[in-house]
Coordinates of all heavy atoms in Angstrom, one line a residue:
M1 N -9.0 -11.4 8.9 CA -9.4 -10.1 9.3 C -9.8 -9.3 8.1 O -9.0 -9.1 7.2 CB -8.3 -9.4 10.1 CG -8.7 -8.0 10.6 SD -7.3 -6.9 11.1 CE -6.4 -8.0 12.2
N2 N -11.0 -8.8 8.0 CA -11.4 -7.9 6.9 C -11.1 -6.5 7.3 O -11.6 -6.0 8.3 CB -12.9 -8.1 6.5 CG -13.2 -7.5 5.2 OD1 -12.9 -8.1 4.2 ND2 -13.7 -6.3 5.2
L3 N -10.4 -5.8 6.4 CA -10.1 -4.4 6.7 C -10.6 -3.4 5.7 O -10.6 -3.8 4.5 CB -8.6 -4.2 6.8 CG -7.8 -4.7 8.0 CD1 -6.3 -4.6 7.8 CD2 -8.2 -4.0 9.3
N4 N -11.1 -2.3 6.1 CA -11.5 -1.2 5.2 C -11.4 0.1 5.9 O -10.9 0.1 7.1 CB -12.9 -1.5 4.6 CG -13.9 -1.7 5.7 OD1 -14.1 -0.8 6.6 ND2 -14.6 -2.8 5.8
V5 N -11.8 1.2 5.3 CA -11.5 2.5 5.8 C -12.3 2.7 7.2 O -11.9 3.5 8.0 CB -11.8 3.6 4.8 CG1 -13.3 3.8 4.7 CG2 -11.1 4.8 5.1
T6 N -13.4 1.9 7.4 CA -14.2 2.1 8.6 C -13.5 1.4 9.8 O -13.8 1.8 11.0 CB -15.6 1.5 8.5 OG1 -15.5 0.1 8.3 CG2 -16.3 2.1 7.3
N7 N -12.6 0.4 9.6 CA -12.1 -0.2 10.8 C -10.6 -0.2 10.9 O -10.0 -0.8 11.9 CB -12.7 -1.7 10.9 CG -12.1 -2.6 9.9 OD1 -11.4 -2.2 9.0 ND2 -12.5 -3.9 9.9
I8 N -9.9 0.4 10.0 CA -8.5 0.5 10.1 C -8.1 1.4 11.2 O -8.7 2.5 11.4 CB -7.8 0.8 8.8 CG1 -6.3 0.5 8.8 CG2 -8.0 2.3 8.3 CD1 -5.6 0.2 7.5
N9 N -7.0 1.0 12.0 CA -6.6 1.9 13.1 C -5.4 2.7 12.5 O -4.4 2.2 12.1 CB -6.1 1.0 14.2 CG -5.6 1.8 15.4 OD1 -4.5 2.4 15.4 ND2 -6.4 1.9 16.4
T10 N -5.7 4.0 12.6 CA -4.7 5.0 12.0 C -3.3 4.9 12.6 O -2.3 4.8 11.9 CB -5.2 6.4 12.2 OG1 -6.5 6.5 11.6 CG2 -4.3 7.5 11.5
E11 N -3.3 4.8 13.9 CA -2.0 4.7 14.7 C -1.2 3.5 14.3 O 0.0 3.5 14.0 CB -2.3 4.7 16.2 CG -1.2 5.3 17.0 CD -1.6 5.4 18.4 OE1 -2.6 6.1 18.7 OE2 -1.0 4.8 19.3
T12 N -1.9 2.3 14.2 CA -1.2 1.1 13.8 C -0.7 1.2 12.4 O 0.5 0.8 12.1 CB -2.2 -0.1 14.0 OG1 -2.7 -0.2 15.3 CG2 -1.5 -1.5 13.7
L13 N -1.5 1.7 11.5 CA -1.1 1.8 10.1 C 0.1 2.7 10.0 O 1.1 2.4 9.3 CB -2.2 2.4 9.3 CG -1.9 2.6 7.8 CD1 -1.5 1.3 7.1 CD2 -3.0 3.4 7.1
E14 N 0.1 3.8 10.7 CA 1.2 4.8 10.7 C 2.5 4.2 11.2 O 3.6 4.4 10.7 CB 0.9 6.1 11.3 CG 0.0 6.9 10.4 CD -0.6 8.2 11.0 OE1 -0.4 8.4 12.2 OE2 -1.3 8.9 10.3
T15 N 2.4 3.3 12.3 CA 3.5 2.6 12.8 C 4.1 1.7 11.8 O 5.3 1.6 11.6 CB 3.1 1.9 14.1 OG1 2.6 2.8 15.0 CG2 4.3 1.2 14.7
V16 N 3.2 0.9 11.2 CA 3.7 -0.1 10.2 C 4.4 0.6 9.0 O 5.4 0.2 8.5 CB 2.4 -0.9 9.7 CG1 2.8 -1.7 8.4 CG2 1.9 -1.8 10.8
A17 N 3.8 1.8 8.6 CA 4.4 2.5 7.5 C 5.7 3.1 7.9 O 6.7 3.0 7.1 CB 3.4 3.6 7.0
A18 N 5.8 3.6 9.1 CA 7.1 4.2 9.5 C 8.2 3.2 9.6 O 9.3 3.4 9.2 CB 6.9 4.9 10.9
D19 N 7.8 2.0 10.1 CA 8.8 0.9 10.2 C 9.3 0.4 8.8 O 10.5 0.2 8.6 CB 8.1 -0.4 10.9 CG 8.0 -0.1 12.4 OD1 8.5 0.9 12.9 OD2 7.3 -1.0 13.0
A20 N 8.4 0.4 7.9 CA 8.7 0.0 6.5 C 9.6 1.0 5.8 O 10.6 0.7 5.2 CB 7.5 -0.2 5.6
I21 N 9.3 2.3 6.1 CA 10.2 3.4 5.5 C 11.6 3.3 6.1 O 12.6 3.4 5.4 CB 9.5 4.7 5.7 CG1 8.3 4.8 4.8 CG2 10.5 5.9 5.5 CD1 7.3 6.0 5.1
K22 N 11.6 3.1 7.4 CA 12.9 3.0 8.1 C 13.7 1.8 7.7 O 14.9 2.0 7.4 CB 12.6 2.9 9.6 CG 13.8 3.3 10.5 CD 13.4 3.3 11.9 CE 14.7 3.5 12.8 NZ 14.4 3.1 14.2
A23 N 13.1 0.7 7.5 CA 13.8 -0.5 7.0 C 14.5 -0.2 5.6 O 15.6 -0.7 5.4 CB 12.8 -1.7 6.9
L24 N 13.8 0.6 4.8 CA 14.4 0.9 3.5 C 15.6 1.8 3.5 O 16.4 1.9 2.6 CB 13.3 1.4 2.6 CG 12.3 0.4 2.0 CD1 11.1 1.1 1.5 CD2 13.0 -0.4 0.9
E25 N 15.7 2.6 4.7 CA 16.8 3.5 4.8 C 18.1 2.8 4.8 O 19.1 3.3 4.3 CB 16.7 4.3 6.1 CG 16.0 5.7 5.8 CD 15.3 6.3 7.0 OE1 15.9 6.1 8.1 OE2 14.3 6.9 6.8
N26 N 18.2 1.6 5.3 CA 19.4 0.8 5.3 C 19.5 -0.2 4.1 O 20.5 -1.0 4.1 CB 19.4 0.0 6.6 CG 19.3 0.8 7.8 OD1 20.0 1.9 7.9 ND2 18.5 0.5 8.8
S27 N 18.6 -0.1 3.2 CA 18.6 -0.9 2.1 C 19.5 -0.4 1.0 O 19.6 0.8 0.8 CB 17.1 -1.0 1.5 OG 17.1 -1.6 0.3
K28 N 20.1 -1.4 0.3 CA 21.0 -1.0 -0.8 C 20.2 -1.1 -2.1 O 20.8 -0.9 -3.2 CB 22.2 -1.9 -0.8 CG 23.1 -1.7 0.4 CD 24.5 -2.1 0.2 CE 25.4 -2.0 1.3 NZ 25.0 -1.3 2.5
R29 N 18.9 -1.3 -2.0 CA 18.1 -1.4 -3.3 C 18.2 -0.1 -4.0 O 18.1 1.0 -3.4 CB 16.6 -1.6 -2.9 CG 16.3 -3.0 -2.3 CD 14.9 -3.0 -2.0 NE 14.1 -2.9 -3.2 CZ 13.1 -3.9 -3.5 NH1 12.9 -4.9 -2.7 NH2 12.5 -3.8 -4.6
M30 N 18.3 -0.2 -5.3 CA 18.3 1.0 -6.2 C 17.0 1.8 -6.1 O 17.0 3.0 -6.2 CB 18.5 0.6 -7.6 CG 19.9 0.0 -8.0 SD 21.2 1.2 -8.0 CE 20.9 2.0 -9.6
D31 N 15.9 1.1 -5.9 CA 14.6 1.7 -5.9 C 14.1 2.0 -4.5 O 12.9 2.2 -4.3 CB 13.6 0.8 -6.7 CG 13.5 -0.6 -6.1 OD1 14.2 -0.9 -5.1 OD2 12.7 -1.4 -6.7
A32 N 15.0 2.0 -3.5 CA 14.5 2.2 -2.1 C 13.8 3.5 -1.9 O 12.7 3.6 -1.2 CB 15.7 2.1 -1.1
K33 N 14.3 4.6 -2.5 CA 13.7 5.9 -2.3 C 12.3 5.9 -3.0 O 11.3 6.5 -2.4 CB 14.5 7.0 -2.9 CG 15.8 7.3 -2.1 CD 15.9 8.8 -2.0 CE 17.1 9.3 -1.1 NZ 17.5 8.4 0.0
R34 N 12.2 5.3 -4.1 CA 10.9 5.2 -4.8 C 9.9 4.4 -4.0 O 8.7 4.7 -3.9 CB 11.0 4.6 -6.2 CG 11.5 5.6 -7.2 CD 11.6 4.9 -8.6 NE 12.2 5.7 -9.6 CZ 11.5 6.5 -10.4 NH1 10.2 6.5 -10.3 NH2 12.1 7.2 -11.3
W35 N 10.3 3.3 -3.3 CA 9.4 2.5 -2.5 C 9.0 3.3 -1.3 O 7.9 3.3 -0.8 CB 10.1 1.2 -2.1 CG 9.8 0.1 -3.1 CD1 10.8 -0.6 -3.8 CD2 8.5 -0.4 -3.5 NE1 10.1 -1.5 -4.7 CE2 8.8 -1.4 -4.5 CE3 7.2 -0.1 -3.1 CZ2 7.7 -2.1 -5.1 CZ3 6.2 -0.8 -3.8 CH2 6.5 -1.8 -4.7
Q36 N 10.0 4.1 -0.7 CA 9.6 4.9 0.5 C 8.5 5.9 0.1 O 7.6 6.1 0.8 CB 10.8 5.7 1.0 CG 11.8 4.8 1.7 CD 13.0 5.5 2.2 OE1 13.6 6.4 1.5 NE2 13.5 5.2 3.4
S37 N 8.6 6.5 -1.1 CA 7.6 7.4 -1.6 C 6.3 6.7 -1.8 O 5.2 7.2 -1.4 CB 8.1 8.1 -2.8 OG 7.1 8.8 -3.5
A38 N 6.4 5.5 -2.4 CA 5.2 4.7 -2.6 C 4.5 4.4 -1.3 O 3.2 4.4 -1.2 CB 5.5 3.5 -3.4
I39 N 5.3 4.1 -0.3 CA 4.7 3.7 1.0 C 4.0 4.9 1.6 O 2.9 4.8 2.2 CB 5.8 3.2 1.9 CG1 6.3 1.8 1.4 CG2 5.3 3.0 3.4 CD1 7.6 1.3 2.0
R40 N 4.6 6.1 1.6 CA 4.0 7.3 2.1 C 2.7 7.6 1.4 O 1.7 7.8 2.1 CB 4.9 8.5 1.9 CG 6.0 8.6 3.0 CD 6.7 9.9 2.9 NE 8.0 9.7 3.5 CZ 9.2 9.4 2.9 NH1 9.2 9.4 1.5 NH2 10.3 9.2 3.5
K41 N 2.7 7.5 0.1 CA 1.4 7.7 -0.7 C 0.4 6.7 -0.4 O -0.8 7.0 -0.3 CB 1.7 7.8 -2.2 CG 2.5 9.0 -2.6 CD 2.8 9.0 -4.1 CE 3.8 10.0 -4.5 NZ 4.4 9.7 -5.8
G42 N 0.8 5.4 -0.3 CA -0.1 4.3 -0.1 C -0.7 4.4 1.3 O -2.0 4.2 1.4
A43 N 0.0 4.7 2.3 CA -0.5 4.9 3.7 C -1.5 6.0 3.7 O -2.6 5.9 4.3 CB 0.6 5.1 4.7
A44 N -1.2 7.1 3.0 CA -2.1 8.3 3.0 C -3.4 7.9 2.3 O -4.5 8.2 2.7 CB -1.5 9.4 2.3
E45 N -3.3 7.1 1.2 CA -4.5 6.7 0.4 C -5.4 5.8 1.2 O -6.6 5.8 1.1 CB -4.1 6.1 -0.9 CG -5.4 5.7 -1.7 CD -5.2 5.5 -3.2 OE1 -4.2 5.9 -3.7 OE2 -6.2 5.0 -3.8
L46 N -4.8 4.9 2.0 CA -5.6 4.0 2.8 C -6.5 4.7 3.8 O -7.5 4.2 4.2 CB -4.7 3.0 3.6 CG -4.0 1.9 2.7 CD1 -3.0 1.1 3.5 CD2 -5.1 1.0 2.1
L47 N -6.0 5.9 4.2 CA -6.8 6.7 5.1 C -7.8 7.7 4.4 O -8.8 8.1 5.0 CB -5.9 7.5 6.1 CG -5.0 6.6 7.0 CD1 -4.0 7.4 7.7 CD2 -5.8 5.7 7.9
S48 N -7.5 8.0 3.2 CA -8.3 9.0 2.5 C -9.3 8.5 1.5 O -10.4 9.0 1.3 CB -7.4 10.1 1.8 OG -6.7 9.5 0.8
N49 N -8.9 7.3 0.9 CA -9.8 6.7 -0.2 C -10.7 5.7 0.5 O -10.3 4.7 1.0 CB -8.9 6.0 -1.2 CG -9.7 5.4 -2.3 OD1 -11.0 5.4 -2.3 ND2 -9.1 4.9 -3.3
P50 N -12.0 6.0 0.5 CA -13.0 5.0 1.2 C -13.2 3.8 0.4 O -13.8 2.8 0.9 CB -14.2 5.9 1.3 CG -14.2 6.9 0.2 CD -12.7 7.1 -0.1
F51 N -12.7 3.7 -0.9 CA -13.1 2.6 -1.8 C -12.1 1.5 -1.9 O -11.5 1.3 -3.0 CB -13.5 3.2 -3.2 CG -14.5 4.3 -3.1 CD1 -14.1 5.6 -3.6 CD2 -15.7 4.1 -2.7 CE1 -15.0 6.6 -3.5 CE2 -16.7 5.1 -2.6 CZ -16.3 6.4 -3.0
W52 N -11.8 0.9 -0.8 CA -10.9 -0.3 -0.9 C -11.3 -1.3 0.2 O -12.0 -1.0 1.1 CB -9.4 0.1 -0.6 CG -9.1 0.8 0.7 CD1 -9.1 2.1 1.0 CD2 -8.8 0.1 1.9 NE1 -8.8 2.3 2.3 CE2 -8.6 1.1 2.9 CE3 -8.6 -1.2 2.3 CZ2 -8.3 0.8 4.3 CZ3 -8.3 -1.5 3.6 CH2 -8.1 -0.5 4.6
N53 N -10.9 -2.5 -0.1 CA -11.2 -3.6 0.9 C -10.1 -4.7 0.8 O -9.6 -5.0 -0.2 CB -12.6 -4.3 0.5 CG -13.0 -5.3 1.6 OD1 -13.4 -4.9 2.7 ND2 -12.8 -6.6 1.4
F54 N -9.7 -5.1 2.0 CA -8.7 -6.1 2.2 C -9.3 -7.3 3.0 O -9.7 -7.1 4.1 CB -7.5 -5.5 2.9 CG -6.3 -6.5 3.1 CD1 -5.6 -7.0 2.0 CD2 -5.9 -6.9 4.3 CE1 -4.6 -7.9 2.2 CE2 -4.8 -7.7 4.5 CZ -4.2 -8.2 3.4
D55 N -9.3 -8.4 2.4 CA -9.9 -9.6 3.1 C -9.0 -10.4 3.9 O -9.3 -11.5 4.3 CB -10.7 -10.5 2.0 CG -9.7 -11.2 1.1 OD1 -8.5 -11.1 1.2 OD2 -10.3 -11.8 0.1
G56 N -7.7 -9.9 4.0 CA -6.7 -10.6 4.7 C -5.7 -11.2 3.8 O -4.6 -11.5 4.2
T57 N -6.1 -11.3 2.5 CA -5.2 -11.8 1.5 C -5.2 -10.9 0.3 O -4.1 -10.5 -0.2 CB -5.6 -13.2 1.0 OG1 -5.7 -14.1 2.2 CG2 -4.6 -13.8 0.1
E58 N -6.3 -10.6 -0.2 CA -6.4 -9.8 -1.4 C -7.0 -8.4 -1.2 O -7.9 -8.2 -0.4 CB -7.3 -10.5 -2.4 CG -6.7 -11.8 -2.8 CD -7.1 -12.2 -4.2 OE1 -8.0 -11.7 -4.8 OE2 -6.4 -13.2 -4.8
L59 N -6.4 -7.4 -1.8 CA -6.8 -6.0 -1.7 C -7.4 -5.6 -3.0 O -6.9 -5.9 -4.1 CB -5.6 -5.2 -1.5 CG -5.8 -3.6 -1.5 CD1 -6.7 -3.2 -0.5 CD2 -4.4 -2.9 -1.4
V60 N -8.6 -4.9 -2.9 CA -9.2 -4.3 -4.1 C -9.3 -2.8 -3.8 O -9.8 -2.4 -2.8 CB -10.6 -4.9 -4.4 CG1 -11.3 -4.2 -5.6 CG2 -10.5 -6.4 -4.6
I61 N -8.8 -2.0 -4.8 CA -8.9 -0.6 -4.6 C -9.6 0.0 -5.8 O -9.3 -0.3 -7.0 CB -7.5 0.1 -4.6 CG1 -6.6 -0.6 -3.6 CG2 -7.6 1.6 -4.3 CD1 -5.1 -0.3 -3.9
M62 N -10.6 0.9 -5.6 CA -11.2 1.6 -6.6 C -10.7 3.0 -6.6 O -10.7 3.6 -5.5 CB -12.7 1.6 -6.5 CG -13.5 1.9 -7.8 SD -15.2 1.5 -7.6 CE -15.8 3.0 -7.0
S63 N -10.2 3.5 -7.7 CA -9.7 4.8 -7.7 C -10.7 5.9 -7.4 O -11.9 5.8 -7.7 CB -9.1 5.1 -9.1 OG -8.8 6.5 -9.3
E64 N -10.2 6.9 -6.6 CA -11.1 8.0 -6.3 C -11.3 9.0 -7.5 O -12.3 9.7 -7.5 CB -10.5 8.8 -5.1 CG -10.8 8.2 -3.8 CD -10.2 9.1 -2.7 OE1 -9.0 9.3 -2.7 OE2 -11.0 9.7 -2.0
T65 N -10.4 8.9 -8.4 CA -10.4 9.9 -9.4 C -10.8 9.4 -10.8 O -11.0 10.1 -11.8 CB -9.0 10.6 -9.5 OG1 -8.0 9.6 -9.6 CG2 -8.7 11.5 -8.3
S66 N -10.8 8.0 -11.0 CA -11.2 7.4 -12.2 C -12.0 6.2 -11.9 O -12.3 5.9 -10.8 CB -10.0 7.1 -13.1 OG -9.3 5.9 -12.5
N67 N -12.4 5.5 -13.0 CA -13.1 4.2 -12.7 C -12.2 3.0 -12.6 O -12.7 1.9 -12.5 CB -14.1 4.0 -13.9 CG -15.2 5.0 -14.0 OD1 -15.7 5.5 -12.9 ND2 -15.6 5.4 -15.2
A68 N -10.9 3.3 -12.5 CA -10.0 2.2 -12.4 C -10.1 1.4 -11.2 O -10.3 1.9 -10.1 CB -8.5 2.8 -12.6
I69 N -10.0 0.1 -11.3 CA -9.9 -0.8 -10.2 C -8.6 -1.5 -10.2 O -8.1 -2.0 -11.2 CB -11.1 -1.9 -10.3 CG1 -12.4 -1.1 -10.1 CG2 -10.9 -2.9 -9.2 CD1 -13.6 -2.0 -10.3
Y70 N -7.9 -1.5 -9.0 CA -6.6 -2.1 -8.9 C -6.7 -3.3 -7.9 O -7.3 -3.2 -6.9 CB -5.6 -1.1 -8.3 CG -5.4 0.1 -9.2 CD1 -6.0 1.3 -8.8 CD2 -4.7 0.0 -10.4 CE1 -5.9 2.4 -9.6 CE2 -4.6 1.1 -11.2 CZ -5.2 2.3 -10.8 OH -5.0 3.4 -11.6
T71 N -6.1 -4.4 -8.3 CA -6.0 -5.6 -7.4 C -4.5 -5.9 -7.3 O -4.0 -6.8 -8.0 CB -6.8 -6.8 -8.0 OG1 -6.4 -7.0 -9.3 CG2 -8.3 -6.6 -7.9
P72 N -3.8 -5.1 -6.5 CA -2.3 -5.2 -6.4 C -1.8 -6.3 -5.6 O -1.2 -6.1 -4.5 CB -2.0 -3.8 -5.9 CG -3.1 -3.5 -4.9 CD -4.3 -4.1 -5.5
N73 N -2.1 -7.5 -6.0 CA -1.7 -8.7 -5.1 C -0.5 -9.3 -5.8 O -0.6 -10.4 -6.4 CB -2.9 -9.6 -5.0 CG -4.1 -8.8 -4.5 OD1 -4.1 -8.3 -3.4 ND2 -5.2 -8.8 -5.2
G74 N 0.6 -8.7 -5.7 CA 1.8 -9.2 -6.3 C 2.1 -8.5 -7.6 O 3.2 -8.0 -7.9
V75 N 1.1 -8.4 -8.5 CA 1.1 -7.6 -9.7 C 0.2 -6.4 -9.6 O -0.6 -6.4 -8.6 CB 0.8 -8.5 -10.9 CG1 1.7 -9.6 -11.1 CG2 -0.7 -8.9 -10.9
C76 N 0.3 -5.5 -10.5 CA -0.7 -4.4 -10.4 C -1.1 -4.0 -11.8 O -0.4 -4.4 -12.8 CB 0.0 -3.2 -9.7 SG -1.3 -1.9 -9.2
Q77 N -2.1 -3.2 -11.9 CA -2.7 -2.8 -13.2 C -2.3 -1.4 -13.6 O -2.8 -0.9 -14.6 CB -4.2 -3.0 -13.2 CG -4.7 -4.4 -13.0 CD -4.5 -4.9 -11.6 OE1 -4.7 -4.2 -10.6 NE2 -4.1 -6.2 -11.4
C78 N -1.5 -0.8 -12.8 CA -1.2 0.6 -13.1 C 0.0 0.8 -14.0 O 0.7 -0.1 -14.3 CB -1.0 1.4 -11.7 SG 0.6 1.0 -11.0
K79 N 0.2 2.1 -14.4 CA 1.2 2.5 -15.3 C 2.6 2.3 -14.7 O 3.5 1.8 -15.4 CB 1.0 4.0 -15.6 CG 1.5 4.4 -17.0 CD 1.4 5.9 -17.2 CE 0.3 6.3 -18.1 NZ 0.3 7.8 -18.3
A80 N 2.7 2.6 -13.4 CA 4.0 2.4 -12.8 C 4.5 1.0 -12.8 O 5.6 0.7 -13.1 CB 4.0 2.9 -11.3
Y81 N 3.5 0.0 -12.5 CA 3.9 -1.4 -12.5 C 4.3 -1.8 -14.0 O 5.3 -2.5 -14.1 CB 2.7 -2.2 -12.1 CG 3.1 -3.7 -12.1 CD1 3.9 -4.2 -11.1 CD2 2.7 -4.5 -13.1 CE1 4.2 -5.6 -11.1 CE2 3.0 -5.9 -13.1 CZ 3.8 -6.4 -12.1 OH 4.2 -7.7 -12.1
A82 N 3.6 -1.3 -15.0 CA 3.9 -1.7 -16.3 C 5.3 -1.2 -16.7 O 6.0 -1.8 -17.6 CB 2.9 -1.0 -17.3
Q83 N 5.8 -0.1 -16.1 CA 7.1 0.4 -16.3 C 8.1 -0.1 -15.3 O 9.2 0.5 -15.2 CB 7.1 1.9 -16.3 CG 6.2 2.5 -17.4 CD 6.0 4.0 -17.3 OE1 6.4 4.6 -16.3 NE2 5.4 4.6 -18.3
N84 N 7.7 -1.2 -14.6 CA 8.7 -1.8 -13.7 C 9.1 -0.9 -12.5 O 10.2 -1.0 -12.0 CB 9.9 -2.2 -14.4 CG 10.1 -3.7 -14.4 OD1 9.7 -4.4 -13.4 ND2 10.7 -4.3 -15.4
Q85 N 8.2 0.0 -12.1 CA 8.5 0.9 -11.0 C 7.7 0.6 -9.8 O 6.6 0.0 -9.9 CB 8.1 2.4 -11.4 CG 8.8 2.9 -12.6 CD 10.3 3.2 -12.4 OE1 10.7 3.3 -11.2 NE2 11.1 3.2 -13.4
P86 N 8.2 0.9 -8.6 CA 7.4 0.8 -7.4 C 6.0 1.5 -7.5 O 6.0 2.5 -8.2 CB 8.2 1.4 -6.3 CG 9.6 1.3 -6.8 CD 9.5 1.5 -8.3
C87 N 5.0 1.0 -7.0 CA 3.7 1.7 -7.0 C 3.0 1.7 -5.6 O 3.2 0.8 -4.8 CB 2.8 1.2 -8.1 SG 2.0 -0.4 -7.7
R88 N 2.2 2.7 -5.4 CA 1.6 2.8 -4.1 C 0.6 1.7 -3.9 O 0.3 1.3 -2.7 CB 0.9 4.2 -3.9 CG -0.3 4.5 -4.8 CD -0.9 5.8 -4.5 NE -2.1 6.0 -5.1 CZ -2.3 6.4 -6.4 NH1 -1.2 6.5 -7.2 NH2 -3.5 6.5 -6.9
H89 N 0.0 1.2 -4.9 CA -1.0 0.1 -4.8 C -0.4 -1.1 -4.1 O -0.9 -1.7 -3.2 CB -1.7 -0.2 -6.1 CG -2.1 0.9 -6.9 ND1 -1.3 1.4 -8.0 CD2 -3.1 1.8 -6.7 CE1 -1.9 2.5 -8.5 NE2 -3.0 2.8 -7.7
R90 N 0.8 -1.5 -4.7 CA 1.4 -2.7 -4.1 C 1.9 -2.4 -2.7 O 1.9 -3.2 -1.8 CB 2.6 -3.2 -5.0 CG 2.0 -4.0 -6.2 CD 3.2 -4.4 -7.1 NE 3.7 -3.2 -7.7 CZ 4.9 -3.1 -8.2 NH1 5.8 -4.1 -8.0 NH2 5.3 -2.0 -8.7
S91 N 2.3 -1.1 -2.4 CA 2.7 -0.8 -1.1 C 1.5 -0.9 -0.1 O 1.7 -1.3 1.0 CB 3.4 0.6 -1.0 OG 2.4 1.6 -1.0
M92 N 0.3 -0.5 -0.6 CA -0.9 -0.6 0.2 C -1.1 -2.1 0.6 O -1.5 -2.4 1.7 CB -2.1 0.0 -0.6 CG -2.0 1.5 -0.7 SD -3.1 2.1 -2.0 CE -4.7 2.2 -1.2
H93 N -1.0 -3.0 -0.4 CA -1.2 -4.4 -0.1 C -0.2 -4.9 0.9 O -0.6 -5.6 1.9 CB -1.1 -5.2 -1.4 CG -1.3 -6.7 -1.2 ND1 -0.2 -7.6 -1.1 CD2 -2.4 -7.4 -1.0 CE1 -0.8 -8.8 -0.9 NE2 -2.1 -8.7 -0.9
R94 N 1.1 -4.5 0.8 CA 2.1 -4.9 1.7 C 1.8 -4.3 3.1 O 2.0 -5.0 4.1 CB 3.5 -4.5 1.2 CG 4.6 -4.9 2.0 CD 5.1 -6.3 1.7 NE 6.2 -6.7 2.6 CZ 6.1 -7.7 3.5 NH1 5.1 -8.4 3.6 NH2 7.2 -8.0 4.2
L95 N 1.5 -3.1 3.2 CA 1.2 -2.4 4.4 C 0.1 -3.1 5.2 O 0.1 -3.4 6.4 CB 0.8 -1.0 4.3 CG 2.0 0.0 3.9 CD1 1.4 1.4 3.5 CD2 2.9 0.2 5.1
L96 N -1.0 -3.5 4.4 CA -2.1 -4.2 5.1 C -1.8 -5.6 5.5 O -2.2 -6.1 6.6 CB -3.3 -4.2 4.1 CG -3.9 -2.8 3.8 CD1 -4.9 -2.9 2.7 CD2 -4.6 -2.3 5.1
T97 N -0.9 -6.3 4.7 CA -0.5 -7.6 5.2 C 0.3 -7.5 6.5 O 0.1 -8.2 7.4 CB 0.4 -8.2 4.0 OG1 -0.4 -8.3 2.9 CG2 0.9 -9.6 4.4
R98 N 1.3 -6.5 6.5 CA 2.0 -6.3 7.7 C 1.1 -5.9 8.9 O 1.3 -6.3 10.0 CB 3.1 -5.2 7.5 CG 4.2 -5.6 6.5 CD 5.2 -6.4 7.2 NE 6.0 -5.7 8.2 CZ 7.1 -5.0 7.9 NH1 7.5 -4.9 6.7 NH2 7.7 -4.4 8.9
Y99 N 0.2 -5.1 8.6 CA -0.8 -4.6 9.6 C -1.5 -5.8 10.3 O -1.6 -5.9 11.5 CB -1.8 -3.7 8.9 CG -2.9 -3.1 9.8 CD1 -2.8 -1.8 10.2 CD2 -4.0 -3.9 10.2 CE1 -3.8 -1.2 11.0 CE2 -5.0 -3.3 11.0 CZ -4.9 -2.0 11.4 OH -5.9 -1.5 12.2
T100 N -2.0 -6.7 9.4 CA -2.7 -7.9 10.0 C -1.8 -8.8 10.8 O -2.2 -9.4 11.8 CB -3.4 -8.7 8.9 OG1 -2.4 -9.2 8.0 CG2 -4.5 -7.9 8.2
Q101 N -0.5 -8.7 10.5 CA 0.5 -9.5 11.3 C 0.8 -8.8 12.6 O 1.2 -9.5 13.5 CB 1.7 -9.8 10.5 CG 1.5 -10.7 9.3 CD 2.6 -10.7 8.2 OE1 3.5 -9.8 8.3 NE2 2.5 -11.5 7.3
T102 N 0.6 -7.5 12.7 CA 1.0 -6.7 13.8 C -0.2 -6.6 14.8 O -0.1 -6.8 16.0 CB 1.3 -5.3 13.4 OG1 2.4 -5.3 12.4 CG2 1.8 -4.4 14.6
A103 N -1.4 -6.4 14.2 CA -2.6 -6.1 15.0 C -3.1 -7.3 15.8 O -2.8 -8.5 15.4 CB -3.7 -5.6 14.1
Ligands
ZN201 ZN1 0.0 0.0 -8.9

């Protein structure tokens, strides 16, 4: 399934994001709150940023505000990832993977 801003279902995405945020509430991970925040930002960006494509495996995101291109497929190219922090790009990849398993 190829997904992009033209065919993603908002309701399904929001359900997937809400489930992921809820699952982290019971998590003992130290970074659970940061991941929850990353998921919120990632879900919002999937609906607002038109420059991304998910081919069912790999996600490519072009930043709306810079020329940066992110391919957050396990690793990421952003500052947060370099500092070992959760990032919204990887949450976007995870959300889309979950989305394709749900839809
Ligand atoms: Zn990132």
